[in-house]
Amino acid sequence: MTKIISRFAPSPTGFLHIGGARTALFSWLLARAAGGEFRLRIEDTDRERSTQEATDAIIDSMKWLGLEHDGEIVFQSSRVDRHNEVIDQLLENGHAYYCQCSKEDVDAMREKAMKEGRKPKYDGTCREKGLTEGVVRLKAPQQGTTGFIDMVKGPINIENIEMDDMILRRSDGTPTYNLAVVVDDHDMGVNRVLRGDDHVNNTPRQILIYRAMGWDVPQFGHVPMILGPDKKKLSKRHGALSVMEYEKMGYLPEAVTNYLARLGWSHGDQELFTMDEMVELFSTEHLGNSPSVFDLKKFEWVNGQYMQKADPERLAELLCDFLAREVGEEEAATVSKADFAAVAPLLQPRAKSLVDMLEQARPFIVDAGFLPYDEKAVKKFLTAESKLLLQDIAERLEALDEFSEKALEDVHRKFLEDKDIKFKVIAQPIRVAIMGKTQSPGLFETMMVLGKEQTLARMKRAVEL
């Protein structure tokens, strides 16, 4: 059985966005599910618009998503000589010819065809002239059909009369996209091409080049585009950001790949998949044939699920990185990984992202003297009466020999009995005193993470406000 080799071939004229990342993921899964190879090619022949920054960002995005590639990265710009070599072979074997028709000439041909109700295309004026210079065109068949079995869409057939003799080499000597793609895929051994359905029209043209060269034609598949909630083309307002923007927003890579996989692929009603599960279960037969809708709320939900399941030690390390980006490494060094590891389990049930978790963690990682207070919460809950209660509780906590969750529960239960009050009377004043706001994880869990010294310091500061 022939080894499956797929590829992802982005253009570095911009960063890798969600749509491209999904295509990369599906191509990666296609190869990995079959024990094959996944190759990466950077199509950087547009020298004016391609940038090193975008190239680096694409490579970083692939690494972050865990979509490792096999072999060396292929840069299309380094292969121009090889592209031209193939064009010369096509000229020699009679499958290509020189054309000297100007753009104005071709425009006139197309306009005439439209007026006559025919397909607007180049009419083959130079096919048999035997010219020796000009642009190079493919001598495409003028009868029959060119068809293929799309891995997603099923059978697709195009009448050859509908396709014109496409340009293979421009007048400046540079090969065109369709020619370069075919040569690169052939030389890289690619036999499965899974890409966006904006390439459907290119596929029959590329098949003609394969046949003209006598090469094996890969299997092609075209996945539908991703739409925004309004069913229009996905844009930045819908969440069509670059992959690394989601990293900056605190999404976990496994959540991103899981959500992207579900935008067009399914396995029953299952929503959450590990990468290993996706590799085991992936099949092009389960790729949808209609556009998927990007739902940012669903995306956040998926990320939240992964945040809940993540190893606190890993989250702590990531939180340290995020804090360092924000305040600088020197200042961030005052907070240890152990500090974050202690608080992470308390925040995991509610945190939607790492950015969200860091925000919730702030009250835990500052010294009592620097704890910020919500002014409205202070005014409402730190009244003269509640401060007296806080002072009493603080004295009882200070007398504790063992600062455990059970001891804290016992102290507060005895306090409520002595004062003949309900817990809700004192809960919010305590929360505002030790966290500066009215939202926090469980009070006793919070106190345990803060520790006795910090808890008492915060209570005493609140009493003195």
Side-chain angles (χ1 to χ4, degrees), residues 365-385:
I365 61 176
V366 297
D367 189 73
F370 297 95
L371 178 69
Y373 291 97
D374 180 324
E375 292 183 9
K376 290 183 179 179
V378 168
K379 187 174 182 180
K380 183 176 181 179
F381 294 108
L382 293 187
T383 62
E385 182 181 357

Side-chain angles (χ1 to χ4, degrees), residues 389 396 412-423 425:
L389 296 175
R396 297 184 187 214
H412 283 80
R413 182 169 57 252
K414 181 68 166 59
F415 173 80
L416 296 176
E417 290 173 357
D418 292 346
K419 299 295 181 181
D420 192 24
I421 58 176
K422 300 291 185 183
F423 186 62
V425 174

Side-chain angles (χ1 to χ4, degrees), residues 190-215:
V190 173
N191 52 29
R192 298 291 190 280
V193 177
L194 196 57
R195 54 192 179 185
D197 62 4
D198 52 332
H199 286 284
V200 166
N201 291 334
N202 286 329
T203 300
R205 299 172 181 275
Q206 293 174 7
I207 289 175
L208 293 180
I209 298 175
Y210 277 103
R211 290 176 177 170
M213 287 299 296
W215 293 340

Side-chain angles (χ1 to χ4, degrees), residues 45 193 203 248 262 282 309 330 335 339 354 361 411 419:
T45 51
V193 177
T203 300
K248 293 176 184 176
R262 290 291 289 111
F282 184 81
K309 297 176 182 179
E330 185 175 344
V335 183
D339 293 332
L354 288 164
V411 164
K419 299 295 181 181

